[in-house]
Amino acid sequence: MFMPDAIGFIGLGIMGSPMAANLVKAGFDVAGHTRSRAGLDRLAAAGGRPVTGLAEAVTGADVVITMLPDSPDVEQVILGPDGVLAHARPGTLLIDMSTIRPRTARAVAAAAADRGLRPLDAPVSGGEQGAVEGVLSIMVGGAAADFEAAGPVLSALGTTIVHVGPSGAGQTVKAANQLVVAGTIQLLAEAIVLLEASGVDAHAGLQVLAGGLAGSTVLDRKGAGMLARTFTPGFRSDLHHKDLGIMLDAAREAGAVVPVGALLGQLMAALRAQGDGGLDHTALLLATERMSGRTHD
Amino acid sequence: MFMPDAIGFIGLGIMGSPMAANLVKAGFDVAGHTRSRAGLDRLAAAGGRPVTGLAEAVTGADVVITMLPDSPDVEQVILGPDGVLAHARPGTLLIDMSTIRPRTARAVAAAAADRGLRPLDAPVSGGEQGAVEGVLSIMVGGAAADFEAAGPVLSALGTTIVHVGPSGAGQTVKAANQLVVAGTIQLLAEAIVLLEASGVDAHAGLQVLAGGLAGSTVLDRKGAGMLARTFTPGFRSDLHHKDLGIMLDAAREAGAVVPVGALLGQLMAALRAQGDGGLDHTALLLATERMSGRTHD
Amino acid sequence: MFMPDAIGFIGLGIMGSPMAANLVKAGFDVAGHTRSRAGLDRLAAAGGRPVTGLAEAVTGADVVITMLPDSPDVEQVILGPDGVLAHARPGTLLIDMSTIRPRTARAVAAAAADRGLRPLDAPVSGGEQGAVEGVLSIMVGGAAADFEAAGPVLSALGTTIVHVGPSGAGQTVKAANQLVVAGTIQLLAEAIVLLEASGVDAHAGLQVLAGGLAGSTVLDRKGAGMLARTFTPGFRSDLHHKDLGIMLDAAREAGAVVPVGALLGQLMAALRAQGDGGLDHTALLLATERMSGRTHD
Amino acid sequence: MFMPDAIGFIGLGIMGSPMAANLVKAGFDVAGHTRSRAGLDRLAAAGGRPVTGLAEAVTGADVVITMLPDSPDVEQVILGPDGVLAHARPGTLLIDMSTIRPRTARAVAAAAADRGLRPLDAPVSGGEQGAVEGVLSIMVGGAAADFEAAGPVLSALGTTIVHVGPSGAGQTVKAANQLVVAGTIQLLAEAIVLLEASGVDAHAGLQVLAGGLAGSTVLDRKGAGMLARTFTPGFRSDLHHKDLGIMLDAAREAGAVVPVGALLGQLMAALRAQGDGGLDHTALLLATERMSGRTHD
């Protein structure tokens, strides 16, 4: 039976650092590599082994985890000339937890399988806080046996861990997730603007909505912040803009028509073009207010 | 102190009938009027007093409740030549629980106040089931004192009862509610089509979404039905189409820009134009599948 | 044979004044009524007969023309207690040239026909300049014989005069016209923003578009003004906003799904909410630039 | 002075074949390469020199023209290991007339310039008919001197030939063109559905629109075909779908917000998902009718 012990972790950013720390805490031997000095220092502080070369992290690992910004980064780190595939031994579990295009995930998985690796795409939701607390939702694509084998590792990182289909399926579910989250935010933004422009107490209004069929986790967790115009991330609009691009690309490829999704892509692009890509994604409220000539700036 | 006892109830349809029955059960003397024989019979069976003329229901009542299909019905029943205002005595609480245009609600309230009545607009959400179980959400616009006075009556009908502002504010909140509900359904429809068109297990996918920031009451209560294509209402698309028309009108009047709301209005119109106005509003999934060439019919 | 001579003209605003003047010039006896002193003075200066009461304008007229701002104005002036129907004699041609809801046009026509009048809805396009020069496009709904009879009158006002169907059809065609015009402007706005944001010479770019399948009358007449950001009306956004409301209402009533039309309604509403309802409708470019964070103000 | 004589032409499909034939007719020595036997035969019949290898076509050419389906094809043919850059001599004009992403065009141009070539991106509009008749519109990005040098060649292919900016600018203008064309078609589709669903004579209605501000080249050339539901291409929906993808990608990259453009992308995707990607792009009318429950199939 496969009992993973040595983990190579590539990408120690805002999400990757606390995830690697949780793996250390769970008893794994974690060798971590990233481009920034700060990331390596954080891993050392957490009790892991920072290494300066990717090869050092990957060679001899039972499990390699990648947590990178975007599709091209994953392609380069895994498929590149001195990348993961060049150093990992056959049988290694390769778990890419980045949010990337489903088709890139499928291409990476095919190349990894060719080398005898066991690839999983396992993007997460839950944000920095979920990463720190080890309560991420993890949607996993790949072979059932590999999902099984990854259980002890993923359990150290999240609480909702679901196998959703073959390679790429995890990324497709993540894309669907980002569609629904962006849309729910925008619906609340339009509701708030409608209430406030009509002279109605939006706080009381949202309270009623929360108690009925209009209720949502976004409203529960983010409604008060939206009313207070507190847009400290949380999850940056820039990243959600990237994710909506992935979602639209996946829909295009699959022949799925997503009219609201396409409009959301433009609204998030507007927020970004207006200079607010660094704000929390709930700042879609700002873009909606600007459209309505109701500016607070 | 105002202790309401005699209630005149106009409009004993799918919603009005169980609401009137709950008022009887709570000990009120309910005289009910409606155009259909069946509605009058239901009230009699519930222990209320069916009356054949509107005047009989209204004359002498402490509280008059109207529960009617649309704005023109409310205008006619309340403002019409032989309507509520012609028969109600000064001081009567006039509670319109229909879903109508905020501006009609304001006009009705102004006319009622001119006659010395105490008007409230108090639309509900929660559907037939909520009406039967007496657990409706009620969003109330009007004077604070009148809201206070209506407490014993409204408590017999719902569990979430919130004063959201002056006359018309209840209708505005209801409009916002219907925007958010329709939008959440459509987002799930697009997510399901994206997942299924990509060959991903939509059941597992929605399970992950439900556990994270993408979670919603619509998903909890209606997600399984959508996956099973069970579109028995519930809440008919035709009615939601009407409500989105009210919402768009309110947004137009208030100067609120609601791009996703406008698109939802078209998608619900499409469902209706395709002959499915009688299905549950979750049938937005059908319209979305038809756009994607994925028809089950 | 019907040879119209005496014309009662109600509504001497920006459009009505030059239209009445053209009728005078064509040899008709024009008695004109409007609420503003300035309008009456303009008619006198043009050689017409200003009258202070609607009854004076209508009584004895062979043809009554109304040119009013919106549906409620037309309902009041024609159907109201002391309105056109109360004073016009049977057989009078009643030509409403206002832009109003098709269903209002049908209701007005039905009431007029009941009184023995011959109603036509005959909205125009071409703007103030077209009115002054007598080169309006006129789209006419009503009976074929009445359209025939109105020929000599309408020929004094426009050059393209088409009978498009029964009562209300003229308004429906006008609604379709306003949909296409607003949309063409918005498409050019998006094209310009795309070109300029990409560092491309928009002037040269539009020149190519104009020469191919992307060419349009809007581009020919308004393209240079848009590039120069000259937004002097022309046709005010406020009015186009009103017209899109009519179009969306007509589509809703007919069961026509118009997704781009609905989005245009919101974009025009945005321009208005941003305080630019007084600018030419080509200022949709401004709203589009604001969405893209490219503001010139 | 640069007097081009020998032309290597890569890509002899529906567009490339008649273009190459026109170059032969203009007196150039055209060596053409393509993957299909039929394409080579067509060139031979037109008096050109079909060659079986790309290298043969390129080696010794003064001008290399590429006319290929999509961005990856252009990348492979120009940048690939045995591609154009590997065989063309310094100073050669490299004119890519394919419709591809502006950023791919810029990347290709940079690589070509590095090898001492003179790159132009020169996509066309006008369709097969325009190619056959030599009346294409050509929008050209690149250095002014290179545009100048390409004059004799491009003049054999088109009549509107405009230099719109640096490398990539031609593709951006083409993207804008495809946005406006798709949008104009969709506006007419919505107008037709609105007219017909309202019982109005759409033929007469469009006639009025054509004469006023709503007029367009699409209406002039394609309006009758739309009313007759003649959807023989012309320009296939599949290709326009590809082009709208390029447009949305370019807008995303430039930070231009194009809400109507994004919706058009979905509507064209719907038409394609419904199995009609092989029809003329005016079949957007079909997708719009299906949304409105007005199907002819």
Side-chain angles (χ1 to χ4, degrees), chain B residues 131-202:
Chain B
V132 169
E133 300 175 3
V135 298
L136 293 167
S137 289
I138 311 178
M139 32 220 110
V140 188
D146 299 341
F147 173 72
E148 200 78 17
V153 173
L154 297 179
S155 303
L157 301 173
T159 41
T160 302
I161 303 164
V162 184
H163 184 224
V164 294
S167 287
Q171 297 296 350
T172 304
V173 172
K174 178 69 189 284
N177 188 78
Q178 297 304 76
L179 161 61
V180 173
V181 170
T184 309
I185 292 171
Q186 178 61 24
L187 289 166
L188 290 178
E190 297 188 10
I192 290 170
V193 170
L194 172 56
L195 292 171
E196 294 186 347
S198 305
V200 175
D201 179 347

Side-chain angles (χ1 to χ4, degrees), chain B residues 101 103 241-246 248-249 251-252 255-260 262-263 265-267 269-273, chain C residues 101 103 240-246 248-249 251-252 255-259 262-263 265-267 269-273:
Chain B
R101 303 190 170 206
R103 65 173 155 178
H241 180 251
K242 184 207 84 170
D243 291 356
L244 290 176
I246 290 171
L248 288 166
D249 186 72
R252 186 178 180 86
V257 179
V258 290
V260 171
L263 189 48
Q266 295 300 311
L267 295 169
L271 181 60
R272 194 163 180 255
Chain C
R101 303 190 170 206
R103 65 172 155 180
H240 213 143
H241 180 253
K242 184 207 85 170
D243 291 355
L244 289 176
I246 289 171
L248 288 166
D249 187 71
R252 185 179 182 86
V257 180
V258 291
L263 189 48
Q266 295 300 311
L267 295 169
L271 182 60
R272 194 163 180 254

Side-chain angles (χ1 to χ4, degrees), chain A residues 241-242 245 248 252 255-259 262-263 266 269-270 273, chain D residues 241-242 245 248 252 255-259 262-263 266 269-270 273:
Chain A
H241 180 253
K242 184 207 84 170
L248 288 166
R252 186 178 180 87
V257 179
V258 290
L263 189 48
Q266 295 300 311
Chain D
H241 180 253
K242 183 207 84 169
L248 288 166
R252 186 178 180 87
V257 180
V258 290
L263 189 49
Q266 295 299 312

Side-chain angles (χ1 to χ4, degrees), chain B residues 19-30:
Chain B
M19 291 166 71
N22 278 329
L23 291 168
V24 171
K25 210 179 299 170
F28 293 102
D29 169 25
V30 180

